[in-house]
Amino acid sequence: MIGLIRNNFYSMESNLMISLILAAALGFSPLIISDGAIYPVIIAVQIFLFVANTGTALHADELAKWNEFELTLPVRRSTVIGAKYVTFAALILCGLAISLCTVVCIRASGQTWDLSSILWGYRYGSALSVLSISLMYPIILRTGTEKNELALLISAFAAICFMCLIAAVLSPATGGMNLRHPLVGMVSIFAAVGMFLVSFAVSVNIHKNKEF
């Protein structure tokens, strides 16, 4: 599996570098922008950037016939899919790590900041990223990667709608529909992790029944 994961990152190398540059640039924005309301959004975007380009990398693999070559390797199809999902999880962790640059820059700028607001950025960005990739990958695995950008947009929109639904269901406990409430954020993350596991199982089933 390590070799498969290494190849996944190799395929994403150029896109990963672009995401890293953009996320790092956003991380330094508190040094020139003094608007505390935008910092949680910046953190959420930084996390999401690292999964936003996965569709392009998967399309490159498909064009290179790597998907067909994987079938000749002495590994099970579940291992092939497992390597993809480990890669997705690692990308999200990369986004979480680089977003710490934003927090450091906020402190370095001497600005006052609201910890609960910053934590909301982490919760929202993490849930959005996990839900989006969980919805997107089975779709492009089943239909192909030609329209991966559309699949990403649809998946991200569906993920936002899902989090809004969670906020609506929890509204009696949160004093109204409030996406920023910590309870909504935590439930969204747990739901996203559950969706991630379900997505893995669905993708394994699709891959086993797919003819390349």
Side-chain angles (χ1 to χ4, degrees), residues 52-74:
N53 290 320
T54 54
T56 303
L58 293 169
H59 183 55
D61 276 351
E62 187 174 281
L63 292 177
K65 304 297 183 182
W66 171 253
N67 293 339
E68 297 178 11
F69 177 73
E70 282 180 323
L71 300 180
T72 67
L73 299 175

Side-chain angles (χ1 to χ4, degrees), residues 89-133:
L91 289 172
I92 294 171
L93 291 176
C94 286
L96 289 168
I98 199 67
S99 65
L100 293 176
C101 177
T102 304
V103 178
V104 172
C105 287
I106 294 173
R107 294 295 297 271
S109 66
Q111 300 179 45
T112 57
W113 55 307
D114 182 9
L115 179 60
S116 63
S117 180
I118 297 297
L119 290 177
W120 174 80
Y122 279 102
R123 288 191 296 264
Y124 186 81
S126 299
L128 176 62
S129 299
V130 176
L131 285 170
S132 296
I133 201 68

Side-chain angles (χ1 to χ4, degrees), residues 8-206:
N8 290 338
F9 277 103
Y10 177 77
S11 300
M12 298 177 182
E13 183 177 5
S14 59
N15 292 321
L16 188 59
M17 186 58 64
I18 293 173
S19 297
L20 181 61
I21 293 172
L22 291 174
L26 286 172
F28 289 106
S29 61
L31 298 177
I32 57 176
I33 300 175
S34 57
D35 184 0
I38 202 173
Y39 298 151
V41 178
I42 290 175
I43 290 173
V45 170
Q46 285 175 308
I47 299 170
F48 184 74
L49 275 174
F50 282 83
V51 301
N53 290 320
T54 54
T56 303
L58 293 169
H59 183 55
D61 276 351
E62 187 174 281
L63 292 177
K65 304 297 183 182
W66 171 253
N67 293 339
E68 297 178 11
F69 177 73
E70 282 180 323
L71 300 180
T72 67
L73 299 175
V75 293
R76 294 177 297 179
R77 293 200 175 194
S78 59
T79 303
V80 172
I81 297 300
K84 299 288 187 187
Y85 278 79
V86 170
T87 302
F88 299 151
L91 289 172
I92 294 171
L93 291 176
C94 286
L96 289 168
I98 199 67
S99 65
L100 293 176
C101 177
T102 304
V103 178
V104 172
C105 287
I106 294 173
R107 294 295 297 271
S109 66
Q111 300 179 45
T112 57
W113 55 307
D114 182 9
L115 179 60
S116 63
S117 180
I118 297 297
L119 290 177
W120 174 80
Y122 279 102
R123 288 191 296 264
Y124 186 81
S126 299
L128 176 62
S129 299
V130 176
L131 285 170
S132 296
I133 201 68
S134 298
L135 294 169
M136 183 187 76
Y137 186 65
I139 293 174
I140 62 177
L141 184 63
R142 180 68 179 84
T143 63
T145 61
E146 292 83 1
K147 297 182 179 179
N148 60 84
E149 294 90 353
L150 178 61
L152 175 64
L153 288 174
I154 293 174
S155 299
F157 179 74
I160 293 171
C161 291
F162 183 68
M163 286 188 285
C164 288
L165 177 62
I166 291 175
V169 171
L170 295 176
S171 60
T174 58
M177 186 171 173
N178 183 7
L179 280 171
R180 290 178 174 265
H181 196 282
L183 179 61
V184 174
M186 293 307 300
V187 171
S188 295
I189 289 176
F190 282 118
V193 171
M195 182 77 75
F196 194 75
L197 297 175
V198 171
S199 175
F200 168 72
V202 171
S203 295
V204 169
N205 184 63
I206 293 173

